[in-house]
């Protein structure tokens, strides 16, 4: 992406804070892999916990450096599309904000969005891929099916982008260009909800523009979505994702399970170890695992939610996966002590 794209999309309004600094993040240890009472591995990262009034209740690492939220930004992108006239609600709106597993319901939903727009899979410009979920992917391969744009985990978002562009009379072939009116509209809402300028623009794995903000800004944006008045685009996105959690992710996915376990919680994951979650009263958490390891993402997010006041008993199943030795549990992945208010792991120590 050219520097001109950054200039075109970065905010300069008086109500916005400056774009976050582009620098090497000063991450801190946020999770330990403990085997037999010994810390075998350390995951670094950054964590922010916001109180209901928006103040920072806890921070670890570097919450103000520019970073890429990856798919954790999809709820914000969905809000932008609703503000631009996208008429979706319910399961299809949840799919528009999804990183889906590629199940048949996800494929069927994406086709429905395209049909509403008078378009087909051929109009999608995301990268062809196999389904995201390992079991769904294995069955797909066994059936002799090839990678497709429909199966790629961002196809719902792309179908919604096309629908939004068509409704506004915008061109379709170049809807992923950062200078396209659709992407300009999305960038404007990213800045509005995060409260800060965009630091950089690049290309996400699916081919869509990706905006660099801060972890603090991401948490602030999702908190604004969950606290918005009923009927607003923000509230519609939150309601759709909470009510159709498996449409926003997939069967057996941890982010859907987290939303089911914590009443009113809106949660979204992103590649490279990103997780964001917020409650209707404005409490919010955002997590970035520095090495992108998915195994640390949920335990750290659960610990952050507990620090935000969510009942630790409800979060117990998300507190860290077991470390096995000879088929037996000999340790766990656990958040570090400055973060973790959850009960100690049942065996193997925690470090």
């Amino acid at each position: 992406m050219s520097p001109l794209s950054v200039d075109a999309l970065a905010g300069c309004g008086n109500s916005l804070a400056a774009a976050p600094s582009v620098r090497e993040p000063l991450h801190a240890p946020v999770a330990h892999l403990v085997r037999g009472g010994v810390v075998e591995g350390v995951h670094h990262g950054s964590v922010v916990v916001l109180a209901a009034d928006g103040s920072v209740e806890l921070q670890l690492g570097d919450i103000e450096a520019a970073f890429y939220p990856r798919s954790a930004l999809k709820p914000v992108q969905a809000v932008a599309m609703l503000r631009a006239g996208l008429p979706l609600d319910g399961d299809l709106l949840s799919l528009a904000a999804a990183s889906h597993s590629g199940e048949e319901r996800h494929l069927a939903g994406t086709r429905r969005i395209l049909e509403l727009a008078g378009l087909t899979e051929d109009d999608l410009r995301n990268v062809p891929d196999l389904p995201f979920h390992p079991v769904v992917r294995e069955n797909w391969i066994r059936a002799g099916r090839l990678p497709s744009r429909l199966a790629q985990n961002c196809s719902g978002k792309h179908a919604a982008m096309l629908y939004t562009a068509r409704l506004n009379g915008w061109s379709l072939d170049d809807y992923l260009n950062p200078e396209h009116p659709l992407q300009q509209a999305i960038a404007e809402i990213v800045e509005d909800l995060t409260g800060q300028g965009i630091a950089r623009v690049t290309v996400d794995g699916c081919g869509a523009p990706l905006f660099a903000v801060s972890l603090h800004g991401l948490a602030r944006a999702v908190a604004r979505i969950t606290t918005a008045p009923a009927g607003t685009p923000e509230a519609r996105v939150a309601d759709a994702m909470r009510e159709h959690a498996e449409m926003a992710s997939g069967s057996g996915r941890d982010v859907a399970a987290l939303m089911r376990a914590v009443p009113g919680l809106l949660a979204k994951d992103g590649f490279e170890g990103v997780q964001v979650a917020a409650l209707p009263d404005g409490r919010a958490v955002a997590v970035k695992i520095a090495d992108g390891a998915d195994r640390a993402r949920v335990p750290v997010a659960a610990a952050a939610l507990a620090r935000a006041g969510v009942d630790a008993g409800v979060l117990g199943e998300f507190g860290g996966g077991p470390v096995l030795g000879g088929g037996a549990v000999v340790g766990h992945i656990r958040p570090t002590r400055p973060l973790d208010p959850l009960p100690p792991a049942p065996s193997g120590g925690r470090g």
Side-chain angles (χ1 to χ4, degrees):
M1 206 69 63
S2 71
L4 291 177
S5 300
V6 178
D7 293 339
L9 294 174
C12 57
N14 292 332
S15 62
L16 292 177
S21 173
V22 177
R23 61 173 183 259
E24 182 177 351
L26 300 174
H27 292 303
V30 294
H32 288 160
L33 186 152
V34 181
R35 181 184 296 271
V38 174
V39 175
E40 185 176 33
V42 180
H43 292 290
H44 289 71
S46 295
V47 180
V48 60
V49 177
L50 299 184
D53 63 2
S55 62
V56 175
E57 191 166 280
L58 173 75
Q59 69 178 72
L60 287 177
D62 194 342
I63 68 170
E64 303 297 353
F67 91 118
Y68 291 118
R70 302 299 298 271
S71 286
L73 198 63
K74 283 178 178 174
V76 178
Q77 292 170 309
V79 168
M81 288 188 276
L82 289 185
R83 289 196 191 180
L86 182 68
L88 298 180
D89 278 299
D91 61 336
L92 295 186
L93 178 54
S94 183
L95 183 60
S99 299
H100 65 70
S101 291
E103 300 167 41
E104 285 303 321
R105 61 176 155 185
H106 300 129
L107 307 186
T110 301
R111 291 191 191 98
R112 282 163 57 200
I113 296 173
L114 290 169
E115 288 168 2
L116 288 170
L119 301 170
T120 70
E121 181 180 353
D122 292 337
D123 294 294
L124 294 170
R125 292 292 180 267
N126 57 317
V127 177
D129 201 356
L130 297 171
F132 175 74
H133 194 282
V135 175
V136 179
R137 182 167 61 246
E138 181 178 348
N139 291 336
W140 184 282
I141 294 171
R142 286 178 184 273
R145 302 171 77 175
L146 298 174
S148 80
R149 299 185 193 276
L150 207 63
Q152 197 269 337
N153 75 93
C154 301
S155 64
K157 177 184 77 174
H158 282 255
M161 285 181 170
L162 281 167
Y163 193 6
T164 305
R166 168 142 286 188
L167 289 168
N168 284 278
W170 297 330
S171 58
L172 302 181
D173 288 347
D174 62 342
Y175 75 93
L176 296 182
N177 187 318
E179 309 296 339
H180 190 280
L182 170 67
Q183 302 303 336
Q184 294 278 313
I186 290 173
E188 180 180 345
I189 303 309
V190 169
E191 294 186 326
D192 178 26
L193 293 182
T194 62
Q196 61 188 182
I198 291 169
R200 288 284 189 276
V201 182
T202 188
V203 182
D204 210 339
C206 65
L210 178 61
F211 310 112
V213 294
S214 70
L215 197 66
H216 189 181
L218 177 65
R220 191 162 47 228
V222 179
R224 289 188 62 185
I225 289 173
T226 60
T227 58
T232 61
E234 292 88 340
R236 286 167 58 191
V237 169
D239 289 344
M241 293 181 69
R242 290 184 294 224
E243 292 169 13
H244 303 274
E246 281 78 17
M247 203 65 163
S249 54
S251 302
R253 294 272 294 279
D254 53 49
V255 69
L258 193 59
M259 284 194 278
R260 297 291 184 209
V262 182
L265 185 73
L266 174 65
K268 185 69 187 76
D269 54 344
F271 280 141
E272 295 301 318
V274 182
Q275 181 72 55
V276 66
L279 291 155
D281 64 2
R283 288 175 291 161
V285 307
V287 171
K288 164 63 180 175
I289 305 301
D291 62 3
D294 204 50
R295 68 186 183 187
R297 172 179 54 83
V298 173
V300 172
L305 284 168
R307 289 294 298 265
V310 175
D311 183 358
V314 173
L315 296 166
E317 66 178 290
F318 305 101
V323 173
L324 302 180
V329 176
V330 296
H332 285 78
I333 298 169
R334 298 290 300 183
T336 53
R337 289 189 186 276
L339 178 64
D340 188 8
L342 299 179
S347 62
R350 57 183 285 182

